[in-house]
């Protein structure tokens, strides 16, 4: 993993925030591409998929409501919470869905790769092939380029 130190610092803060969750969570999007050794391109946020129960726990702990999440014609989060973590915002998303074949399909990664950030901190991502597939479904040119960078890793 070769990432800017400010991004690593934000990832460590994210890891600390999510340490006590009850269900698995995954970093997705550009930061996850960078963690896995791909080419993330420019990004301004950390995107996390988590369970509804854990989303509620974090919402209550920070006294911030879960609100309708970010949405595009091909991807949406039913609920989300955005928290500043260092130089980046963390978008904690619940019930993420992608529009595939005329219907909305849940994004529930099956694989879970742990990456050590140092200082006893870890982040979890889908494996490179699964993350590439998730990124391709967004249809965005930037996400397709990120997916291709993961596929080149072999």
């Amino acid at each position: 993993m070769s990432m800017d130190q400010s991004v690593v610092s934000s990832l460590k803060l994210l890891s600390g925030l999510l340490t006590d969750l009850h269900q698995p969570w995954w970093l997705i999007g550009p930061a996850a591409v960078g963690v896995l050794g791909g080419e993330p391109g420019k990004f301004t946020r950390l995107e996390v998929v988590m369970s509804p129960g854990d989303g509620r726990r974090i919402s209550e702990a920070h006294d911030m409501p879960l609100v309708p999440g970010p949405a595009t014609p091909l991807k949406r989060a039913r609920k989300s919470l955005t928290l500043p973590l260092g130089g980046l915002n963390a978008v904690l998303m619940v019930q993420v869905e992608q529009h595939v074949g005329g219907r909305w399909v849940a994004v529930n990664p099956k694989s879970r790769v742990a990456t050590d950030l140092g200082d006893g901190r870890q982040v979890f991502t889908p494996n490179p092939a699964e993350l590439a597939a998730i990124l391709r479904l967004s249809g965005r040119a930037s996400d397709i380029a990120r997916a291709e960078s993961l596929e080149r890793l072999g």
Side-chain angles (χ1 to χ4, degrees):
M1 175 181 74
S2 175
M3 296 185 77
D4 182 86
Q5 207 43 46
S6 65
V7 173
V8 174
S9 294
S10 292
L11 288 169
K12 286 180 179 180
L13 291 170
L14 177 71
S15 175
L17 176 72
L18 304 182
T19 297
D20 295 328
L21 294 187
H22 295 206
Q23 300 292 317
W25 57 272
W26 294 265
L27 181 67
I28 62 171
V33 172
V35 165
L36 291 170
E39 299 166 17
K42 293 184 180 186
F43 60 95
T44 59
R45 64 187 192 175
L46 306 174
E47 299 175 20
V48 176
V49 175
M50 64 176 46
S51 73
D54 284 332
R56 278 191 303 279
R57 280 188 261 307
I58 290 178
S59 170
E60 291 167 2
H62 292 273
D63 196 27
M64 295 177 72
L66 285 166
V67 297
T72 70
L74 296 176
K75 180 180 170 186
R76 68 183 181 193
R78 297 277 182 157
K79 298 286 182 181
S80 74
L81 173 65
T82 301
L83 297 170
L85 292 178
L88 297 172
N89 283 331
V91 181
L92 310 178
M93 300 179 289
V94 172
Q95 295 174 306
V96 177
E97 299 171 316
Q98 289 183 304
H99 199 254
V100 180
R103 62 187 184 95
W104 290 99
V105 178
V107 174
N108 292 319
K110 306 293 181 236
S111 61
R112 194 162 188 247
V113 176
T115 300
D116 183 26
L117 301 171
D119 301 330
R121 303 288 186 192
Q122 290 183 317
V123 291
F124 302 93
T125 64
N127 68 37
E130 185 175 18
L131 181 57
I134 291 168
L135 291 167
R136 281 189 175 285
L137 289 174
S138 80
R140 293 179 19 201
S142 57
D143 283 337
I144 291 169
R146 291 174 179 120
E148 289 170 350
S149 80
L150 289 172
E151 292 160 354
R152 284 192 297 272
L153 296 175

